[in-house]
Amino acid sequence: MRGGMGKGIHFSKLYTFSCFRSKFEDEHGQLGQRGYSRIVFCNDPDNPEAVQLKYRGNYVSTTKYTALNFIPKSLFEQFRRVANLYFLVVACVSFSPLAPYTAVSVLAPLLMVIGATMAKEGVEDWRRRKQDIEANNRKVEVYGKNHVFNETRWKNLRVGDLVKIYKDEYFPADLLLLSSSYEDGICYVETMNLDGETNLKLKHALDETASLRDVRSFQNFKSTIKCEDPNEHLYSFVGTLYYGGQHHPLSLQQILLRDSKLRNTDYIYGVVVFTGHDTKVMQNATDPPSKRSRIERRMDKIIYILFSTLILISLTGSMFFGVDTKNDIRGGELKRWYLRPDKTTVFFDPKRASLAAFFHFLTGLMLYGYLIPISLYVSIEVVKVLQSIFINQDRDMYYEETDKPARARTSDLNEELGQVDTILSDKTGTLTCNSMEFVKCSIAGVAYGRGMTEVERALAKRKRSRPHEVTDSSSDLPECNDHVVDSGKPVKGFNFRDERVTNGNWVNEPHSDLIQKFFRVLAICHTAIPDVRKESGEISYEAESPDEAAFVIAARELGFEFFERTQTSISLHELDHESGRKVNRSYTLLHVLEFSSARKRMSVIVKNAENQLLLLCKGADSVMFERLSKDGRLFLAKTMDHLNKYAEAGLRTLVVAYRELSEQEYKSWEEEFLPAKTSVSAARDALIDAACDKIERDLILLGVTAVEDKLQKGVPECIDKLSKAGIKIWVLTGDKMETAINIGHACSLLTKGMKQIVITLDSPDISDLEKQGDKEAIQKASRESIAKQIGEAKAQIIARKESSVTFGLIIDGMSLDFALTKSLESSFLEVAVNCASVICCRSSPKQKARVTKLVKVGTGKTTLAIGDGANDVGMLQEADIGVGISGVEGMQAVMSSDFAIAQFRFLERLLLVHGHWCYRRITMMICYFFYKNITFGFTLFWFEAHASFSGQPAYNDWYMSFYNVFFTSLPVIALGVFDQDVSARLCLKHPLLYQEGVQNILFTWHRILSWMLNGVISSMIIFFFITNSIVNQAFRRDGHLVDYEVLGVTMYTCVVWAVNCQMALSINYFTWIQHFFIWGSIAFWYTFLVIYGALPLKVSTTAYQVFVEACAPSPFYWLATLLVVVSTLLPYFAYRSFQTRFKPMYHDIIQRRRSEGSEAEVSAELPVRVKEKIDHLKERLKHRES
Amino acid sequence: MDVDGESTSAVATEARLIPVLSGRSKAMYQFTQQSLPACKPVLTPAWVITTFFLVGALFIPIGLVSLHASHSVVEIVDRYDSECVPDLFKSNKVEYIKDMSIHKNCSRHLKVHKHMKAPIFIYYQLDNYYQNHRRYVKSRSDRQLLHGLQHNDTSSCTPEESSNGLPIVPCGLIAWSLFNDTYSFSRGTHKLRVNRKNIAWKSDRNHKFGKQVYPFNFQNGTLIGGGKLDPNIPLSDQEDLIVWMRTAALPSFRKLYGRIEDDLNVDDVVVVNLLNNYNTYSFGGTKELVLSTSSWLGGRNNFLGMAYTSVGFSSILVAFIFLLLHVRNPSLNIRAVC
C-alpha cells in the first residue's frame, strides 16, 4: 500500500478489483459476443462508427400511447372487452337491413361510451407525458467540441457523451464514473428511486481515470467501452474500458444509474453508456401486476349469463318467427297478404324460412342487446374514479405532519377494500414510526436509562385497568416526568435519561473505561455520513438505518461526537475526562465488514492513534454471544438478563463488543479477505462471510444497546377495531421473536386471554446439530420438528374449539421456511387461519411475499398487505390489495401499492368506512344495472311476442339509445358515488358491519338473480298492465285510439319511472344530489319527449308530437303510469319491508336503531371522553398524594 | 320519509371542528367529506304499514272511479266477418272475398241496449292483423307522404315502391293494404248523421300528409291490396288513409271510422249497411264493428279499474299481514341480534 496508513491512501483500492483482475476473465471473455456487444466511444459520439451503431437517444417516453397510435391502440384496448366488442359488431351489422333500428342510434351511445373511456385514458396518458417532458428537458452539462461544458437537455444526450453532474442532481442516463471532486474518484449516490433504500452508496472510478479532473484533461480523452447489452439487472454490469492502450475491467462500482442522485460529492465526470430506454431503470420498469377485484370477476360471469339469456330469447324469437314466416304462404296461397310474402327479400321469405329465421336471430341479438348494459363498464369506471377522489379528499385520512392525504393510486380495487379477510402487515415503519430512539443500554452489566417505553406503558396501563390490582405507582411516575424533568431540549432519536451517564458523569462510574469503549464503538462502528452545518456547527447524520442514526446520535449526545468521515478515517470529538476538554481523535479506517441480514452484525477494523488495531463489532445477540472470547464473558449473565428485559419491553437490542488485533493476525486475515471481496463470482458473498467469520471471533462483550421503535399513533386502537370487524391480522416482521411478541402485546394483537402457539427451531437438539454442522441432518431434524409442532398446534386448536379460547400463532423465519414447503403448507395454513392473529418474525421480504401468496391462494379470500419499505414490495404486489405507508422509508412501497396512506391508523377508516361503502355501492350498482336493463330488455321481448317476432322494437330508436345514457345512468352513478347505508361514525362504531363485505353477502348469486328476477317481473307488469288496460278502447274523451307510438311512449314512461323509483327505494341516503338525479332523469324524459317531438318530422320521425298531442291530454295515460309504477315497486317494497323487519341484515339493524334514536351518535362517544378525563383527574390526584 | 337527527348532529360537530367556514366552502366541505345533510329513509314497521295502507287508500278510490267511468261507456260490438259471407261461400271465404264480381253488400241490425249520447264513435276492429310487423311498419315513406313526387327515394317502400317507373303515391305496404270496408247507418227510415272528418290526428293532417300530394297512381298494380283513393283529393284530406297509416301496436286493434252525431236511445235499432270488401279471411282474422261512447277516461275497459282496486286491496292485505306478524313477533328484538 502506498503512503502507509496516512491520508494519502487510496481507499478505493480496498473496494476496486484492480488487484485481482484474473477473476474477470471468464465473464469478460464474453464481451463482443451475443448479449455483450455494446461499444461506446467515449467523448466521441460523432465518430462515424458510433453513429453507425444507432443507439437510442436519451429521450424517454413512459406513455402508453403516442399521438400517432393513440386512436388505434386505445380502440384496440377498448374492444378487448367482450361487451364492447359485441356492441361494435352490433353497430356494424346495424348498417345492414337486418337491423331493427337505425344504425346511428346504436353507434351514438357506443361512440359516447368508447369516447368517454378513451378520454380517460388520454388524460391519464397526458399526465405521464407531462412528467416525461419534464424529465426530458432537464438540463445537464455536456463536454462539447469547443472543449468546454455546455448545458443541454437530457433528451439530447447521446451515448458516449461526457457529462458533468453536480451535487444533488439526478443522473440523466447510466453513466460510467470517470472521476469526481474527490481525488481518488469516489462519489456517494442515493438510490432511493431504484430500491427505496435511503442510505448512501459509494461508487468509485478506476484509478486510471480518476485523475481526469480537469476540463483540459478531456481534450485528448478518447477511449472505448465494450460492455453488456442493455438489460434489467440492477446489480450487475460487465464491461471493459479500453484506455491508454490497456483494457480495464469495469463493474457496477463504476456505473451510476439513471434516477439515482449524486450526494455528498461536489461533482463527477462520467461517460454516457446507456441512454433512454436502454438504461437499467427503464429496462426495469415493468407494469405493476394488474389486479381485478372479485366483484368485477363475478360481474364478467353475470355478463355471460346475460349473453346466454340474450341468445336464448333470440333463439326463441327466431323459431317463432320462422314458423310464422313459413306459414305466410301455404299451398300457394298468401296468408298474410298485406305483408306481400310473394315478393320479398330473404329476411322475410317464407320459402326460405329457416334462412330468414337465422337472419332474424341476428336481428334479435341486436334488438335484445339492451339486456347487456352498454354503459356498465364506463359507469363503473366513472364511479370508481369519483370514489377514489373521495378517498383522497377524506380529511380524516389526511396526515398533517407530513402533509400527506390518502391516495388511491388505482381506482380498480375500491370495492375490494370492503372485503378484506386478512391483513398482512409489516411492522417497522408500518405499525411503528421507524424513528428509533436510543432509550437504554447496559454496559458492563449495569443497566442505564430510565425512560419508559410505549410498550411498558401499554403493559402498565393494562395492569392498571384491572380494578383489583393495586396500581404500581412507581411505574406511573416516569410517564409524567418523562418530558418535563430533563432540562435539555429533546433530541430526535435520543431519549436516554440517566444522570449517571449524561453530562460526562459516566467518568465516575465503576467501569468507565468500558463505558468509553462502548460509546466509541457506537461512534465508529457504522456507515453513517456526517453533515456539518456550517453556520451552527450542528452535526446531523445520514445513516443506512434509523437504528444506526440513533447510535451515532446517542454517542454524540454523550460526548463522542463523530464529525468527519474520509475514505480512510473517522474522526471524533471526544471529551477527555482528565482535562475535561474536547479533543479530536481520529481512527484510521481499514475495513468495513458490512451488515447483512444473514450476518446480522457489522464490524469495522480501525487503527487508533496509539496504533492499536481494533475490531469493533455490533450485532444481534443470537450471533454475538457465541462469538465472545472466554475472557469477554465477564458480564454475560447480567447483560443477558438486561437484554431479555429490554426485548420484553419491545426494544430493539444490539450487542456491542470489540477485540484487539495483532498486526500479524490482521495481515494474514487481510490476505484472505481481499480476494474474497474482489471476486465477482456468485460465491462472493459466501466467501466474504467466511472471511469475516474468521476475524469476528473472540470478542469482548461491552454491553447492549436498546432502541425503541415507537408505535405509531392509534395503532392499538386501530388493530382492535379491525379485529372486531373480523379481519385477521398477520404481522410479518424482520424482528426477533421477543420484540415481535411484545409489539404484538402493545398493539393489542396478542391479548392476555389468548393462547400463544410458538413454532420455532430454537430448541436445544437443533442447536446441538448446528454445532456439528451436518447440514442435511439439521434440515431433516428441523422439518420433523416443525411438522411435529404444527401437528401439536392443530390438536390444541381442535381440542379447544368449543371453548372461546382464541389462539395467537408466532412463528420465526427459519421455521417458516419449512412450514412453507409443499408438504407442510396446507396444515400450516389450517393452523394459521384458526388463530386470531399470526406473527411471523425474522421473515425476509421473499418470505413475506410467499406467506401472502399462501394466504391468498390457500384461503381464497381477499388479502391486504400493508407496508412501507422496499422489502414489502413483493408482499404488496402479491396481495389482492397493497397499501403503502408513505412514511420515511422512501417511496418504493408507495409506488408499488394500490393505496397509499400516511399512517397505519388510517387503515381503519379506509377499510371500515370507505371499503364498506365502496363495496356496497358497487355491488348495489351492478345489481341495479342488470335490473334496469332486464326490465327494459324484456318489455321489448314481450312486445315482440305480440308482433309475430318480426323484430320490430316497441320504442322509437332514439328512446332506446338514450335509455342507458340519459334516462337511467346518472342516478346509478349517484348511487355508486354517494350512497351510504350507515354513516361513517356508525361504520366505525359497528365494525362487525364490515363482515357484510367479507362474506360477500351483498353480491351472492341469490341476490343477483333475485334482482334479475325483479327485473323480469317489472317488465311483465309494465307490459301486461299497459297492454291490457289500453288494448282496444279509446284512451281519450275524443275517441282516439292507442297506436304503436303511443303504446311505446306509455310503456317507456313506465319503464323510466319504475326504474328510477326503484332506485329511490333502494338507496339509503338522499341528499339533494340524489333527488336531483333521480327526479331530474324522469323530468328529462318528459322534456326530451316534448323537444324531440317538436323537432321537424325528418328528425323526430315516428315520435312527432306524440306526447304533446296524444299522451299528455289523456288522463288515462297518467293513471296507467301511476298504476304500473306502483305495481312494479310493490313486490320489491314488500320483500324489503318483511326482510328488514323479520330477517334483518346487520345494516338494517343499525339503521333502525339509529332511526329509533337509541343510537344517539354523539352521546355514545361523549361518555368515553368524559371517562378519560375523569381517569386523568384521578391520576393527578394520586400523584399529589404521593 | 324520516329525517333523523343524526345528520344535524353530525353537521354540528363538524362545524365545531372547522370554525370559520363560509356557506359555500362549508357545503363544499360537507360534499367532499360525504357528510351532506341527507334524508335517510328506514323501513320501520310504522312506515311500512302506513305506506301499504296509503297505497290501498289511494288506489281503491281511483279504481272505483275508473270502473265507474268504464261502466258509463256504452259499447256495441258486432262481429260481421263470417255473417256477411253468403252461405254459399261459407266454406271458402277467401274465394268469396277475392272475387271482384260478387257484390259485397251486407246489412246488420244493431240493437241499442242503453242510451248512447252523441258523439258515438264508430270503430272497426281487426284481429290477428299484424300491423306491427317489422316489414309492414317499415314499408312507408314519410317524406313522400309529405312531398309527393318531389321525393323520389321510395326504397323504404318495397315491395310497393313504384309502378311503371314512377313511384307509387302513397307507396309502401301500409298504404297498399288500406282498409276498405264502408259503413252507413240508419235508424228506422232516416240515415244517421255520420261525421267522418277529424278522425285522424291533427298533426298528421297538417304536417305529415301533403296538401299538394295526390294519389294519382295508387292501386294501379297487378295485385290490388286494399282500398283505393280518390286521386283528386290531396293526401292531407284522405283521413281514412291517415288513420290507417298510424299503425296499431298490437295484432288486435280498432281504428276510428267516424262519429255518429245523433243520440241513440234504448231499444233503437241501428241498421248498418256495409260493404264487406276487406280480406281478413286469408289470414284468419276477424272484423268487428264497434259503436261506443266515451267517458273522461276513454272507452270501455274495466281492466284499469280492476287493477287499481285489486292492487289497492292486496296492499291493504299485505299491511294487515305485516301488522299481524309484527304484533305476534315482538320478541324479535333487534337488540337480541347484536
Side-chain angles (χ1 to χ4, degrees), chain A residues 323-488:
Chain A
V323 172
D324 280 353
T325 306
K326 201 172 176 61
N327 288 342
D328 275 347
I329 296 183
R330 210 183 301 141
E333 288 223 23
L334 305 185
K335 290 293 169 190
R336 289 192 289 186
W337 56 269
Y338 53 91
L339 296 176
R340 288 300 296 271
D342 56 320
K343 193 178 167 188
T344 180
T345 52
V346 61
F347 307 120
F348 299 98
D349 194 349
K351 285 171 219 135
R352 289 178 284 174
S354 40
L355 193 60
F358 170 72
F359 281 123
H360 180 272
F361 173 68
L362 298 180
T363 309
L365 286 187
M366 280 188 259
L367 183 61
Y368 308 127
Y370 286 93
L371 290 180
I372 319 275
I374 185 169
S375 50
L376 176 62
Y377 284 110
V378 77
S379 304
I380 286 185
E381 246 160 64
V382 168
V383 161
K384 285 185 173 177
V385 167
L386 293 174
Q387 284 177 346
S388 329
I389 291 176
F390 277 121
I391 292 176
N392 297 348
Q393 292 275 341
D394 195 331
R395 288 281 179 103
D396 292 329
M397 295 199 293
Y398 169 75
Y399 191 50
E400 244 168 288
E401 242 165 74
T402 53
D403 185 29
K404 274 182 181 141
R407 257 184 72 205
R409 290 173 29 84
T410 168
S411 57
D412 294 337
L413 297 170
N414 293 347
E415 73 273 19
E416 196 89 340
L417 282 178
Q419 296 188 279
V420 174
D421 181 71
T422 312
I423 293 176
L424 298 120
S425 171
D426 173 42
K427 201 210 90 200
T428 314
T430 306
L431 298 175
T432 60
C433 304
N434 200 19
S435 65
M436 304 294 170
E437 284 189 346
F438 186 88
V439 282
K440 293 184 186 194
C441 60
S442 151
I443 308 168
V446 183
Y448 296 102
R450 301 199 197 280
M452 197 175 186
T453 68
E454 199 87 10
V455 179
E456 284 172 318
R457 252 169 246 164
L459 286 171
K461 214 173 176 182
R462 210 163 294 146
K463 263 188 207 160
R464 225 182 307 147
S465 66
R466 298 195 165 185
H468 303 298
E469 265 175 63
V470 185
T471 30
D472 181 7
S473 61
S474 69
S475 69
D476 283 354
L477 265 170
E479 193 177 348
C480 309
N481 300 342
D482 211 5
H483 301 282
V484 193
V485 170
D486 218 287
S487 54

Side-chain angles (χ1 to χ4, degrees), chain A residues 117-133:
Chain A
T117 327
M118 271 169 69
K120 181 192 152 217
E121 289 273 297
V123 168
E124 276 177 6
D125 217 42
W126 178 250
R127 276 196 211 128
R128 281 191 283 264
R129 195 179 147 70
K130 273 210 316 223
Q131 284 176 359
D132 287 349
I133 290 174

Side-chain angles (χ1 to χ4, degrees), chain A residues 97-100 321 333-340 342-345 348 363 390 393-396 914 917 921 943 946-948 950-952 977-978 980 983 985 1024-1025 1027-1041 1043-1047 1067-1073 1097-1098 1101 1104-1106 1109-1110 1115-1116 1119-1120 1122-1123 1126-1127 1130 1133-1134 1136-1138 1140-1142 1144 1146 1149 1151-1156 1158 1161-1162, chain B residues 2 4 6 9-10 13-14 18 29 31-45 48 51-52 55 59 62 66 94 98 121 123 125 128-130 132-138 143 146 159-160 173 176-177 199-203 207-208 223 225-226 246-256 259 278-279 282-283 294-301 303-304 307-308 311 315 318 321-322 325-326 329-330 332 334-335 337-338:
Chain A
L98 278 174
F321 173 76
E333 288 223 23
L334 305 185
K335 290 293 169 190
R336 289 192 289 186
W337 56 269
Y338 53 91
L339 296 176
R340 288 300 296 271
D342 56 320
K343 193 178 167 188
T344 180
T345 52
F348 299 98
T363 309
F390 277 121
Q393 292 275 341
D394 195 331
R395 288 281 179 103
D396 292 329
H914 289 284
W917 280 349
R921 289 165 181 173
F943 180 78
H946 289 79
S948 152
S950 58
Q952 178 64 19
V977 180
F978 303 109
Q980 309 177 359
S983 67
R985 279 148 200 271
F1024 291 103
F1025 272 35
T1027 51
N1028 277 310
S1029 55
I1030 223 164
V1031 64
N1032 275 326
Q1033 88 284 14
F1035 77 118
R1036 287 194 318 224
R1037 189 176 267 291
D1038 61 4
H1040 274 291
L1041 293 157
D1043 72 330
Y1044 166 74
E1045 282 309 319
V1046 175
L1047 181 82
I1067 58 179
N1068 304 288
Y1069 186 75
F1070 269 103
T1071 66
W1072 61 268
I1073 301 169
L1097 198 64
K1098 244 194 282 181
T1101 61
Y1104 187 65
Q1105 294 292 357
V1106 170
E1109 195 182 348
F1116 181 89
L1119 275 184
L1122 176 67
L1123 169 74
V1126 172
S1127 314
L1130 275 183
F1133 185 72
R1136 272 287 292 154
S1137 22
F1138 277 90
T1140 27
R1141 169 62 182 82
F1142 300 109
Y1146 197 68
I1149 298 169
Q1151 281 176 358
R1152 256 194 69 189
R1153 280 167 59 169
R1154 186 201 62 212
S1155 78
E1156 280 168 5
S1158 59
E1161 295 238 356
V1162 183
Chain B
D2 61 335
D4 52 83
E6 182 207 348
S9 61
T13 44
E14 233 88 81
I18 317 296
Y29 178 83
F31 176 74
T32 56
Q33 300 309 305
Q34 308 192 53
S35 59
L36 280 172
C39 158
K40 302 172 185 178
V42 176
L43 288 175
T44 54
V48 171
T51 313
F52 276 117
V55 170
F59 270 38
I62 296 182
S66 309
V94 177
K98 278 187 174 170
F121 298 97
Y123 304 101
Q125 178 173 341
N128 200 19
Y129 191 105
Y130 287 90
N132 57 9
H133 194 283
R134 182 153 66 102
R135 179 170 162 79
Y136 190 81
V137 173
K138 294 262 187 292
R143 299 174 80 178
L146 189 58
E160 296 296 332
L173 281 173
W176 177 74
S177 59
I199 54 172
W201 289 28
K202 206 171 146 207
S203 67
H207 304 293
K208 266 194 174 170
L223 190 66
R246 263 215 174 262
T247 49
L250 297 167
S252 161
F253 59 90
R254 287 177 191 176
K255 294 222 175 252
L256 193 56
R259 282 181 292 268
Y278 203 68
N279 178 8
S282 293
F283 52 87
S294 74
S295 68
W296 61 275
L297 204 54
R300 186 184 178 91
N301 186 348
F303 184 84
L304 191 73
Y308 261 111
V311 169
S315 141
V318 171
I321 295 173
F322 190 91
L325 287 175
H326 178 63
N329 291 325
L332 202 126
I334 36 176
R335 233 144 289 207
V337 184
C338 306

Side-chain angles (χ1 to χ4, degrees), chain B residues 113-290:
Chain B
H113 52 88
K114 208 172 171 188
H115 179 78
M116 291 171 91
K117 208 172 157 341
I120 299 157
F121 298 97
I122 308 161
Y123 304 101
Y124 55 89
Q125 178 173 341
L126 299 179
D127 282 316
N128 200 19
Y129 191 105
Y130 287 90
Q131 255 204 328
N132 57 9
H133 194 283
R134 182 153 66 102
R135 179 170 162 79
Y136 190 81
V137 173
K138 294 262 187 292
S139 184
R140 65 188 283 163
S141 166
D142 280 331
R143 299 174 80 178
Q144 192 214 37
L145 292 174
L146 189 58
H147 303 295
L149 285 178
Q150 287 165 23
H151 184 77
N152 280 328
D153 180 22
T154 55
S155 57
S156 63
C157 287
T158 45
E160 296 296 332
E161 75 272 32
S162 63
S163 89
N164 302 328
L166 267 181
I168 300 174
V169 181
C171 71
L173 281 173
I174 312 180
W176 177 74
S177 59
L178 176 66
F179 185 76
N180 57 356
D181 285 6
T182 59
Y183 313 94
S184 64
F185 301 86
S186 53
R187 181 170 49 181
T189 49
H190 42 221
K191 284 204 154 194
L192 288 170
R193 282 182 295 153
V194 174
N195 183 357
R196 301 208 49 211
K197 286 284 159 209
N198 296 334
I199 54 172
W201 289 28
K202 206 171 146 207
S203 67
D204 280 3
R205 278 180 278 139
N206 294 342
H207 304 293
K208 266 194 174 170
F209 290 79
K211 290 188 169 58
Q212 304 299 325
V213 183
Y214 295 91
F216 67 97
N217 61 350
F218 188 60
Q219 298 287 22
N220 281 349
T222 44
L223 190 66
I224 308 289
K228 299 191 178 178
L229 294 172
D230 184 346
N232 298 317
I233 301 173
L235 289 187
S236 60
D237 289 338
Q238 307 266 13
E239 291 209 36
D240 280 329
L241 177 76
I242 300 175
V243 167
W244 181 252
M245 298 231 8
R246 263 215 174 262
T247 49
L250 297 167
S252 161
F253 59 90
R254 287 177 191 176
K255 294 222 175 252
L256 193 56
Y257 182 81
R259 282 181 292 268
I260 297 176
E261 307 256 298
D262 294 314
D263 285 8
L264 295 177
N265 300 314
V266 183
D267 294 337
D268 278 358
V269 174
V270 177
V271 180
V272 186
N273 285 307
L274 57 88
L275 284 175
N276 183 18
N277 291 327
Y278 203 68
N279 178 8
T280 53
Y281 305 104
S282 293
F283 52 87
T286 64
K287 290 196 277 193
E288 276 138 4
L289 176 68
V290 181

